[in-house]
Amino acid sequence: MGGCFRLSFRLSRSLSRQMEFDADRYEALVSGSGTFRQTALQLRTLSEAWREVDRHNGRLWRERRLLRDMPEATALMASRLDGATLKAIEESLERQATRYWDTHPADLDRIRYSEALAAPGHLHDRRPAAALFERFADHCQRVTLAYYGDLGLDHQGAQLQDSHSLLQASQQREQALDQLQEWSGRQWRAEPWLPLHLPVQEAHGALGWQATIDLLRQQSPEIARAWESAEQEQQQRAALAYCLSWHQCGVNSWLSDHEPLDPATHQPLYHRIDEGRTPAQQQLVPVASLYRRRLELALAKADDATRAAATALMQMSGLGRDFLRLREAQELAGRFVAEYRHEGGEKADRLSHDALVRYRDLALRLLKKADRIAQPLLDGETLGGYLRLRCPHLQGEPGQPMAFFEQSQTLIDSLSYAFARVASEVASGCLAIEREHGIRGIRLIARVGATA
C-alpha cells in the first residue's frame, strides 16, 4: 500500500507541472506573452530582495527592532540591488532546468512555453498592482504582523520601524563588523572571546602605539592559527562532554563514526579546553595583552562614547569562559532531553535532569555577573538588562529547570550578538582614531581597486 502511495505521489508531479503551465497560459492570454520573461525576472528579483530584507530584519530583532512593513522594505531593497546582483539573477534563469520529479517547471521552460503561445493579451496597464487595493500599505503592515505571529515573535515588545531606518541601521552594523575585521587584520574570530579583561603584560607595557600594531602584524600567521585551533576546540567540547557523561553512566559512546571515546585521553583534553589550558588558548593570552595595549593607546584619544563601549567590551570579555560553558550546557540539555523523550530510560532521565539543572545554574550565575556590566549600545542599560529584555521570562523567578530551559532559548544568541556588537563598535571607533593619527594598521596591502 505504501509503495502504491509513493508511486502515485511521484507520478502526480508531472500533473503538478502541467497545472503550472496551465496557469501560465492564462497569464499570457490576459497580459500577453511578451511580458512573461520580465515578470519571471521581477519575481526572482523580489525573492532575492526578500531574503536580504529578512536577514537585515533578523539582525535588528536582536536589538528589539522590527520592520513595520516588510513588502515596502522588499521593494526598497529591490531598487537598491547593484548591477552585478541583477545580472546574476538574470543569468540564473538560463541555468535552471526542470527535473523529472519536480513539482514546478523551471522558469526558463515556463518562459519558452508562454512565449511560444505568442498571445497578444487583453490587458496592458503599466500601473503597479498596488493600485488595485485601497489602503495597500495597511494590508502590507497587517501581513507583516501576521508573519511575525507565525514565527512566534513577540512583536508587541518590539519597536516597529520604517524601512529606511531599519535597513540603514542594519547596514551600519554590517559595516562595523567589516571594520572589526579590518582593524584586526582578519585575525578576529567569534570565539573564544579574547581575554581583554586581563591587564597588559609587563613586556608590553612600554610599547608604543605603532610598535604594538607592528608586533601584531609580525605575529599574524601564528595568531590566526592559534585562534582557529582554539575555535575548533570549542566546537569539539560539547561532543566530549556528551560522551563523557554517558561514560560516567557506564555506556560506551563514540565521538564520531571513526573515533570511539577514550576516557584516558579525552577526559584530560576536555578539562584543558574548559579551563583554557590548551596551547592554542594559552597563546591567545599575550595576544589579548597586545590588543588591550592597542586599545588603551587609542582610547587616550577617544571620546566618551567610545571609552564607554571599550569598558563594556573589556568587562564582557571576562564572561568568555562562562559563555562557552553555558552554550555547552544548553546543547547537552537539548540532546539529553530529546533522547529521553525519544527512548526513555532511567539513565537518560537522570542525565537530562542534571543537564537542565546545570544549565539553569550557569545561566543564573552569568546573569548575575552581567547585571554589573554597563553597556551603552543596547536596550537595558546593563548587559544583564539587555539579556532579560531578550528573554522576558528571566525577569521573574527562575522556576523549574525545564521551563527555564525552554524560556531562555535566545540567551546564548543574545549574548553572542551583544559581544560582537560592542566589539565591532569599539573597533570602528579605534580604526578611525588610528587613521586620524597616521597609525598604520595590521594589514598594509590595499584591496583591489582601493588606494594604497
Side-chain angles (χ1 to χ4, degrees), residues 233 268 270-282 321:
E233 291 168 356
Y270 170 77
H271 287 300
R272 288 196 300 272
I273 294 174
D274 179 59
E275 297 166 6
R277 293 187 289 107
T278 64
Q281 293 185 69
Q282 288 294 300
R321 196 166 296 171

Side-chain angles (χ1 to χ4, degrees), residues 298-311 425 429-430 432-433 436:
L299 294 174
K301 311 289 185 181
D303 56 25
D304 291 341
T306 303
R307 290 195 189 98
T311 299
E425 290 296 329
C430 289
I433 294 169
E436 181 183 351

Side-chain angles (χ1 to χ4, degrees), residues 10 60 82 112 138 142 147 320 331 338 364 400 408 411:
R10 292 192 173 187
L60 268 296
D82 57 38
R112 289 169 175 165
D138 293 344
R142 283 195 292 270
Y147 174 65
E331 184 173 339
L364 293 174
Q400 293 299 314
S408 62
L411 182 58

Side-chain angles (χ1 to χ4, degrees), residues 108-125:
L108 185 60
D109 291 333
R110 297 173 65 182
I111 292 170
R112 289 169 175 165
Y113 172 82
S114 297
E115 290 180 342
L117 294 174
H122 298 286
L123 295 176
H124 302 281
D125 193 332

Side-chain angles (χ1 to χ4, degrees), residues 24-65:
D24 294 340
R25 182 169 65 87
Y26 282 107
E27 178 183 337
L29 291 174
V30 171
S31 58
S33 297
T35 62
F36 196 92
R37 176 181 287 271
Q38 181 183 356
T39 301
L41 186 60
Q42 181 67 9
L43 286 173
R44 285 198 170 213
T45 302
L46 290 172
S47 179
E48 175 65 24
W50 167 267
R51 284 193 291 269
E52 280 295 296
V53 166
D54 207 33
R55 183 175 63 84
H56 287 294
N57 208 19
R59 174 185 289 114
L60 268 296
W61 167 241
R62 294 178 172 91
E63 298 185 24
R64 302 174 67 247
R65 309 286 189 271

